[in-house]
């Protein structure tokens, strides 16, 4: 096993939290081999047996909530509330959901096919676990995104080897320890700490890769997986827009823009990254947004209610945020509030509203992933639709309109994976519904039936009952009369 160590530091205070090994290819191979050996026993427990372990884990998380929140907050620098509501809240609801629903989504499906060419045959479709799933996760939500994607994989009967971000491995290590306490069989869940090379070694060895991260790294994952024809799903970056039209409830629109723009210090894949407001309500909406953003407390979190906006987790992210603001200002935008990195220890950026923005600016076209809200004036719904769709990304969007009918009609015109009307981003918690991005925001989905079936192979079994065959069919030799028979059959069945 490699002895190279990665230092994990607090983004809020800068202090050293722990050092973890950066696993090399041989160490990853060892974890995958153990996971592979343990998987059949785990699969053999069946849905009910596995659900018991997942339910124990759900209770464990609730009983150790403070430890979990503290671990997440320490390595990400996020607020207590962001860790509690989004990470812990998601994990316990997902453990409950997949424990109950896996069997329904993956149970055998027996049916008769419609085609007369297979008349009388019975069919069974079954879903079998693939084996070992490699989950590669980002740093912004170390519990929700990394372990969150492992839960349905485990519920389906797979083993999982999880590669967390090198910036935030401690939550995943805590999860591994918790799962052992919850009597998950040895080897079924393992954490491969390390950076990009560790992830690449994992991709080469597993039966499916579930990747969450940036679009740039997602492309690398796809290319790597292609060389071994390993199937994968990618949940990538976003540039989610919020559209506010005349007649919309402006107070709520402003609250939603600010909450989902600033939550997790803006480091959320589904979020509010840009706002389009109809000219007639622009001034009123902007005034509300600026007042609410200006009132936010930013700084080092120290327990509940201490701050509203926490730290910027990744050092490179702070540089991206600054570069987007500088680029916007250079091209004619103005800062309505905020606009600067906070001086002193830790990585913090002031909650910021940018105005006079347009699509020549990086803050409107690239993922900023920070506490910034650029607000742009539009003439109406048509211009808003064109601008929302003028993006290489297509993860999510939000629409505020005069009524739900108009909101839904607008939602249907947006080329994104999910649209919330009079809301934003909360579709992530509707685990029954597929969640995934269009365009450069991803391939495949999490949640819903396909969110667990992707971790399985689908097998069709066709049963031709002997009794329905009056006599043994003779296929060969081909004769003129057999060709005539087929022609007559096809014409009878399909001519009309
Ligand atoms: P990155 O793409 O930088 O990293 C994601 C993971 O990939 C990390 O574990 C990283 O390791 C690893 N990695 C690095 N290099 C490679 C490689 N060559 N092959 C395979 N894996 C590699 O993303 P971030 O961690 O910066 O996360 C932020 C991004 O994630 C944002 O773009 C955000 O939108 C997106 N995201 C998308 C979500 C969605 O559901 N669509 C949800 C959450 C985030 P290491 O960090 O150790 O370098």
């Amino acid at each position: 096993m490699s002895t190279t160590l990665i230092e994990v530091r607090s983004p809020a205070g800068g202090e050293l939290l722990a050092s973890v090994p950066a696993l090399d290819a041989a160490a990853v191979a060892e974890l995958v081999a153990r996971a592979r050996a343990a998987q059949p026993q785990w699969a053999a427990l069946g849905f009910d047996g596995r659900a018991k372990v997942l339910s124990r884990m759900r209770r464990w998380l609730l009983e150790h909530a403070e430890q979990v929140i503290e671990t997440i907050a320490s390595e990400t620098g996020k607020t207590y509330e962001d860790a509690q509501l989004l990470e812990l809240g998601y994990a316990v609801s997902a453990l409950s959901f997949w424990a109950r629903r896996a069997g329904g989504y993956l149970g055998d499906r027996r049916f008769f096919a419609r085609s007369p060419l297979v008349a009388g045959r019975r069919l069974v479709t079954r879903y079998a676990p693939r084996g070992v799933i490699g989950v590669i996760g980002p740093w912004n939500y170390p519990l929700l995104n990394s372990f969150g994607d492992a839960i349905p994989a485990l519920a389906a009967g797979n083993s999982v080897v999880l590669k967390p971000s090198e910036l935030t491995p401690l939550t995943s290590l805590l999860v591994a320890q918790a799962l052992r306490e919850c009597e998950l069989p040895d080897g079924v869940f393992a954490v491969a700490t390390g950076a990009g090379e560790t992830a690449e070694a994992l991709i080469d060895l597993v039966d499916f890769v579930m990747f969450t991260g940036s679009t740039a790294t997602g492309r690398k994952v796809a290319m790597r997986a292609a060389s071994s024809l390993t199937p994968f799903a990618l949940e990538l970056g976003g540039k989610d827009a919020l559209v506010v039209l005349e007649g919309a409830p402006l107070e709520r629109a402003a609250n939603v823009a600010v909450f989902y723009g600033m939550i997790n210090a803006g480091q959320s894949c589904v979020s509010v990254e840009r706002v389009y407001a109809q000219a007639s309500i622009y001034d009123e909406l902007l005034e509300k947004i600026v007042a609410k953003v200006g009132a936010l407390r930013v700084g080092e979190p120290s327990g509940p209610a201490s701050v509203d906006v926490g730290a910027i987790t990744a050092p490179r992210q702070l540089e991206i945020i600054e570069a987007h603001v500088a680029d916007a200002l250079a091209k004619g935008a103005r800062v309505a509030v905020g606009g600067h990195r906070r001086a002193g220890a830790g990585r913090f950026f002031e909650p910021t509203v940018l105005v006079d923005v347009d699509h020549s600016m990086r803050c409107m076209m690239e993922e900023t992933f920070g506490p910034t809200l650029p607000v742009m004036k539009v003439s109406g719904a048509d211009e808003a639709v064109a601008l929302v769709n003028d993006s290489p990304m297509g993860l999510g969007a939000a629409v505020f309109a005069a009524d739900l009918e108009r909101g839904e009609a607008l939602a249907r015109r947006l080329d994104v994976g999910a649209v919330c009307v009079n809301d934003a981003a909360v579709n992530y918690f509707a685990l029954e519904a597929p969640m995934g991005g269009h365009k450069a925001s991803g391939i495949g989905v999490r949640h819903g039936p396909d969110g667990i079936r992707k971790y399985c192979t689908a097998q069709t079994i066709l049963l031709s009952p002997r009794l329905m065959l009056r006599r043994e069919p003779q296929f060969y030799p081909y004769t003129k009369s057999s060709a005539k028979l087929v022609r007559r059959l096809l014409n009878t069945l399909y001519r009309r």
Side-chain angles (χ1 to χ4, degrees):
M1 189 175 280
S2 166
T3 50
T4 310
L5 288 180
I6 295 173
E7 289 188 345
V8 184
R9 289 189 175 274
S10 155
E15 70 275 16
L16 182 66
L17 299 171
S19 295
V20 300
L23 300 195
D24 62 14
V28 173
E30 216 171 282
L31 288 184
V32 174
R34 288 190 60 215
R36 204 170 284 297
Q39 187 268 332
Q41 181 203 349
W42 174 239
L45 282 182
F47 292 112
D48 291 345
R50 295 194 293 272
K52 279 191 188 133
V53 178
L54 297 180
S55 301
R56 278 201 287 273
M57 182 61 184
R58 173 173 48 75
R59 288 191 292 274
W60 191 98
L61 285 173
L62 290 172
E63 283 158 17
H64 297 78
E66 294 308 314
Q67 185 186 359
V68 174
I69 292 167
E70 163 57 26
T71 305
I72 297 170
S74 69
E75 63 179 350
T76 59
K78 67 177 66 183
T79 65
Y80 181 96
E81 288 78 4
D82 288 349
Q84 182 190 42
L85 177 66
L86 302 182
E87 301 245 40
L88 183 68
Y90 177 88
V92 293
S93 83
L95 283 160
S96 164
F97 179 83
W98 292 115
R100 280 165 205 252
R101 297 295 289 271
Y105 287 145
L106 301 182
D108 285 359
R109 201 166 67 89
R110 293 178 180 273
F111 57 99
F112 292 96
R114 283 178 65 93
S115 171
L117 300 177
V118 284
R121 275 74 158 190
R122 299 199 318 260
L123 289 118
V124 186
T125 300
R126 71 179 273 261
Y127 295 96
R130 288 182 183 274
V132 182
I133 308 298
V135 176
I136 303 172
W139 44 260
N140 57 336
Y141 287 103
L143 185 66
L144 174 147
N145 272 138
S146 302
F147 181 52
D149 283 326
I151 298 167
L154 291 169
N158 296 285
S159 288
V160 171
V161 178
L162 165 62
K163 206 302 277 179
S165 167
E166 64 187 310
L167 297 173
T168 56
L170 304 182
T171 305
S172 299
L173 293 170
L174 179 64
V175 163
Q177 177 208 315
L179 284 168
R180 275 193 296 276
E181 287 179 31
C182 295
E183 294 170 38
L184 183 80
D186 253 12
V188 171
F189 180 86
V191 178
T193 49
E197 302 76 47
T198 308
E200 287 172 1
L202 186 62
I203 294 168
D204 293 344
L205 294 169
V206 293
D207 304 305
F208 185 90
V209 179
M210 176 65 222
F211 173 83
T212 305
S214 63
T215 299
T217 312
R219 283 188 219 283
K220 289 187 201 165
V221 170
M223 285 194 273
R224 185 94 187 190
S227 64
S228 54
L229 287 183
T230 303
F232 57 84
L234 306 175
E235 296 292 345
L236 307 176
K239 189 71 195 168
D240 292 4
L242 180 142
V243 176
V244 188
L245 299 178
E246 205 172 275
L250 293 190
E251 186 65 23
R252 176 156 174 86
N255 279 332
V256 166
V258 174
F259 185 67
Y260 291 103
M262 299 298 156
I263 199 164
N264 213 36
Q267 304 160 108
S268 300
C269 53
V270 283
S271 65
V272 176
E273 278 255 336
R274 48 188 172 134
V275 177
Y276 300 99
Q278 191 161 9
S280 53
I281 49 91
Y282 174 87
D283 288 340
E284 192 181 342
L285 181 75
L286 183 63
E287 193 184 323
K288 288 177 188 295
I289 289 176
V290 169
K292 289 173 197 293
V293 169
L296 294 174
R297 300 163 300 159
V298 60
E300 184 168 357
S302 57
S306 52
V307 287
D308 304 309
V309 178
I312 304 304
T313 306
R316 64 177 180 276
Q317 203 59 46
L318 195 52
E319 285 158 29
I320 293 172
I321 298 164
E322 281 191 311
H324 282 202
V325 172
D327 170 78
L329 298 186
K331 290 173 180 161
R334 284 183 301 115
V335 167
V337 61
H340 301 99
R341 174 200 288 241
R342 212 191 63 164
R347 282 186 293 279
F348 297 95
F349 199 88
E350 294 168 354
T352 297
V353 178
L354 294 167
V355 293
D356 298 341
V357 291
D358 62 42
H359 275 214
S360 71
M361 299 172 187
R362 295 179 70 191
C363 69
M364 296 301 280
M365 300 303 287
E366 299 171 29
E367 192 177 41
T368 308
F369 228 52
T372 56
L373 267 184
V375 186
M376 183 172 171
K377 196 183 287 186
V378 294
S379 56
D382 289 346
E383 190 185 5
V385 168
L387 289 168
V388 173
N389 290 339
D390 176 31
S391 170
M393 318 267 200
L395 194 55
V399 169
F400 282 78
D403 54 55
L404 285 179
E405 289 68 33
R406 268 180 266 206
E408 186 178 339
L410 195 80
R412 288 171 185 271
R413 298 170 67 191
L414 302 180
D415 190 3
V416 299
V419 186
C420 295
V421 178
N422 292 345
D423 235 318
V426 279
N427 63 287
Y428 200 98
F429 292 88
L431 300 179
E432 296 80 357
M435 181 269 155
H438 293 186
K439 300 193 275 187
S441 288
I443 294 177
V445 296
R446 57 164 64 94
H447 304 161
D450 293 339
I452 189 164
R453 288 181 185 155
K454 71 187 176 198
Y455 293 131
C456 299
T457 51
Q459 183 184 45
T460 296
I461 300 170
L462 180 145
L463 302 159
S464 267
R466 267 195 85 125
L467 282 177
M468 73 164 249
L469 307 170
R470 290 216 190 91
R471 57 191 166 91
E472 201 56 32
Q474 290 297 322
F475 299 111
Y476 290 126
Y478 286 147
T479 62
K480 289 196 169 147
S481 64
S482 63
K484 266 191 209 155
L485 185 69
V486 171
R487 189 184 314 134
R488 207 176 320 134
L489 180 71
L490 292 180
N491 278 324
T492 312
L493 294 174
Y494 296 113
R495 193 131 189 206
R496 264 183 301 135

